Amino acid sequence: IAEAEATLRSARAWFREVAEDAWRTFLDDGALDTETQALITLTSVHAAQAAVRATDMLYAIAGTSPAMGRSEFGRAWRDAHVVSQHILLSSQNYDGIGAALARA
C-alpha cells in the first residue's frame, strides 16, 4: 500500500509542478515552447501509467475480491487501465515525447 501511495503521490507532484510552471510561462509569454508542451504530455502519460502501476500493486494484494461482483476497487482498477489506453495517455507516447525533448 505504501509503494502504491508513493507512486501516485510522486506522479501527482511532478504533474502539478510542470503544470504550474507551464501556466506561469503561458501567462508571461502567451505561448509554450516545445519542451514545455512535451513535459506536459510526459507528466500526463506518466501519471496515467503510475495509476495503473499503483492499482496493479493493490490488486495483487487484494485477492479475488476486486474481480467479484460490483467491487469499487475492481471498478477503479478497470478505470485506470481503460484511461491509460487513451491515445493521449498511452505509454506509446513515450517515443514521440522523447524525440520532442531531444530536439528542444
Side-chain angles (χ1 to χ4, degrees):
I1 292 172
E3 186 177 1
E5 185 75 19
T7 298
L8 286 176
R9 285 182 184 247
S10 60
R12 183 184 302 131
W14 188 35
F15 176 84
R16 286 182 176 164
E17 175 189 332
V18 169
E20 289 170 3
D21 290 347
W23 183 244
R24 280 191 295 275
T25 299
F26 182 77
L27 290 176
D28 291 344
D29 302 340
L32 299 176
D33 60 21
T34 301
E35 180 179 10
T36 302
Q37 291 177 31
L39 285 173
I40 290 170
T41 304
L42 177 58
T43 60
S44 299
V45 171
H46 177 69
Q49 299 305 313
V52 168
R53 284 191 303 281
T55 56
D56 284 350
M57 287 178 214
L58 297 175
Y59 195 94
I61 62 173
T64 59
S65 60
M68 303 296 185
R70 295 181 177 199
S71 162
E72 288 295 319
F73 179 69
R75 180 177 179 194
W77 183 86
R78 289 187 302 276
D79 288 350
H81 280 80
V82 168
V83 166
S84 73
Q85 297 304 308
H86 190 281
I87 189 74
L88 296 176
L89 298 174
S90 169
S91 62
Q92 295 176 6
N93 286 307
Y94 283 128
D95 288 342
I97 297 166
L101 289 172
R103 288 190 300 266

